[in-house]
Amino acid sequence: MSWDSQHDRAFWISPEERIAFYLNRQELFEIDLAQYEEVKSKTHWNRKEMRLVAYQDYEYTFTHWYCKHIVHLPRIRNIRTLPFYKSYKDLHSLMNFFQAFDQAGKSHANTKYPLFYGEAGDTGGIPCIRKSRKSDDNTSVIFNFRSLRLTSPCSEAASVDIPWKKKKNDVIWRGATTGQEQRVVFVEKYFGKYDVGFASTKQKPHLNHLKKGKVTIKEQLRYKFIISLEGNDVASNLRWILSSNSVPIMTKPYWQSWIMEARLEPGVHYLQLNDDLSNLEEVLDWAVANDDACREIAENGKKYMSQFLDQNHDLPIQKMLLDEYAKRLTYNHN
């Protein structure tokens, strides 16, 4: 999808600044292979999710074909155990990694990149390439992994959205019990006051009393305001909310991903909750009294997200990132 004729680029970030951000502003990446193997062997998840991957090793394999032609299909993308494979995270991530080479050039195809397929796992200071990092993580590198889960819903949101004036002047949130206690605290506090609740409590069944019926993206977009809460890492609904005519309400982002959450500004791209989640009523009172300003915040979010949704613009940046990483990477074999 190309957004050049539809959106003002005032909110777009230069490719150079984006690359610097994703690379954590590091000039060199030195990886001691002994240390890498030690970190990889520490936990069950690291053994599964840390991989040294070269595009050249996969180019003519069944895995490459499967990622290119099968994984993205609507009936396949949400299956947790994919046909022929036990796991889906690696294939979803590999799909994005392969796509950069397939569509934007095959330079550095023989470089072995240290990919991490997981979410909140600790990679022990190894400059792994992953889909998200904490704000105080000074080593990890960000890539556009798991786009089927995080970015694809933006197209759905755009197709089913309604104009601002037709939306309910109210707030909604649905989500799982994943992550730290933030979501639990939020739902316990606001369950009886707003349309807020857990759609799934599989991980924490003792919270069944805080469940409410599942709602689709289309149904959530009937509301002007949608809560966005981080879970295991980034909030999975943030990208499609920003792509819509609704306004995200959220705390200052702690996790960073491909959309550079650190560059989002309260009052410009979203309405800010206190870290203790105590001020939702105040935020909504302000929002009701400042309807035009909120509509502009929704528009700003769409302009900001457009740079990540325009594949003609974004995919070359993904490949530039991999090229720059390869140029700065050295392995210590001692």
Side-chain angles (χ1 to χ4, degrees):
M1 180 181 294
S2 177
W3 295 75
D4 291 355
S5 62
Q6 302 176 40
H7 291 272
D8 182 0
R9 291 194 175 203
F11 283 91
W12 286 24
I13 302 162
S14 73
E16 294 76 16
E17 172 58 22
R18 287 180 61 179
I19 296 299
F21 176 87
Y22 299 140
L23 292 176
N24 231 328
R25 307 195 184 280
Q26 299 182 79
E27 295 299 324
L28 296 173
F29 298 99
E30 298 181 8
I31 297 178
D32 184 291
L33 287 173
Q35 180 191 6
Y36 177 88
E37 291 299 329
E38 180 183 352
V39 172
K40 180 177 178 178
S41 66
K42 277 188 175 180
T43 70
H44 165 75
W45 288 110
N46 278 9
R47 287 191 291 273
K48 288 184 62 175
E49 297 176 342
M50 289 180 70
R51 292 286 186 274
L52 296 179
V53 177
Y55 173 84
Q56 181 175 272
D57 295 340
Y58 284 89
E59 185 174 6
Y60 301 109
T61 65
F62 176 73
T63 299
H64 178 262
W65 176 88
Y66 195 77
C67 288
K68 188 173 182 179
H69 298 288
I70 303 298
V71 173
H72 67 278
L73 297 177
R75 293 185 178 181
I76 298 293
R77 66 176 61 175
N78 293 322
I79 298 176
R80 292 278 171 154
T81 304
L82 294 171
F84 305 109
Y85 290 93
K86 293 181 179 180
S87 181
Y88 75 105
K89 287 182 182 179
D90 55 346
L91 293 181
H92 280 223
S93 298
L94 282 172
M95 183 201 73
N96 295 125
F97 178 75
F98 294 154
Q99 186 181 41
F101 288 93
D102 290 335
Q103 298 187 29
K106 296 182 181 179
S107 55
H108 302 286
N110 62 341
T111 297
K112 287 192 178 294
Y113 294 88
L115 307 186
F116 181 68
Y117 303 141
E119 295 176 341
D122 180 12
T123 52
I126 303 293
C128 289
I129 300 173
R130 54 194 297 168
K131 79 179 178 74
S132 58
R133 67 178 178 234
K134 298 176 182 178
S135 296
D136 56 359
D137 180 343
N138 297 316
T139 57
S140 298
V141 172
I142 291 173
F143 190 68
N144 189 35
F145 288 145
R146 308 281 294 283
S147 66
L148 288 177
R149 177 170 178 260
L150 296 173
T151 307
S152 292
C154 297
S155 297
E156 178 185 350
S159 68
V160 300
D161 204 4
I162 59 177
W164 174 263
K165 289 185 177 180
K166 293 185 177 181
K167 293 175 181 277
K168 298 179 183 178
N169 204 17
D170 209 341
V171 68
I172 188 171
W173 183 80
R174 287 295 188 280
T177 54
T178 53
Q180 303 302 314
E181 290 301 305
Q182 182 189 59
R183 292 184 174 188
V184 176
V185 171
F186 181 83
V187 173
E188 287 179 337
K189 184 173 182 61
Y190 296 113
F191 181 81
K193 299 178 182 179
Y194 302 104
D195 194 355
V196 164
F198 291 115
S200 170
T201 57
K202 183 171 65 173
Q203 294 177 322
K204 298 176 182 177
H206 63 284
L207 298 175
N208 280 342
H209 63 290
L210 296 175
K211 284 182 68 173
K212 289 187 178 179
K214 292 184 178 181
V215 288
T216 64
I217 289 177
K218 181 178 181 179
E219 291 168 330
Q220 292 181 65
L221 288 173
R222 294 173 183 168
Y223 292 74
K224 288 183 177 179
F225 308 102
I226 304 175
I227 302 296
S228 185
L229 297 173
E230 295 175 332
N232 288 329
D233 60 349
V234 296
S236 59
N237 66 353
L238 180 57
R239 298 187 192 190
W240 64 257
I241 301 172
L242 287 170
S243 304
S244 76
N245 296 322
S246 295
V247 173
I249 297 178
M250 60 193 228
T251 59
K252 182 180 179 181
Y254 177 60
W255 286 90
Q256 311 297 322
S257 74
W258 189 252
I259 67 166
M260 304 174 68
E261 284 87 347
R263 295 296 293 263
L264 296 173
E265 300 178 41
V268 178
H269 305 105
Y270 68 97
L271 297 178
Q272 186 170 352
L273 283 175
N274 293 337
D275 288 343
D276 64 3
L277 311 171
S278 62
N279 65 325
L280 180 58
E281 292 98 333
E282 296 172 24
V283 170
L284 290 173
D285 286 345
W286 182 90
V288 170
N290 294 273
D291 190 73
D292 288 341
C294 290
R295 180 173 57 187
E296 183 175 346
I297 291 172
E299 286 297 317
N300 291 343
K302 289 196 294 184
K303 293 174 183 177
Y304 182 86
M305 272 302 298
S306 66
Q307 65 192 304
F308 307 105
L309 299 178
D310 185 337
Q311 286 297 286
N312 293 329
H313 176 76
D314 195 66
L315 199 57
I317 293 177
Q318 295 177 37
K319 187 58 172 65
M320 286 170 56
L321 169 65
L322 294 175
D323 288 348
E324 283 299 317
Y325 186 94
K327 293 174 185 176
R328 307 177 193 196
L329 174 65
T330 58
Y331 282 104
N332 180 353
H333 295 270
N334 295 330

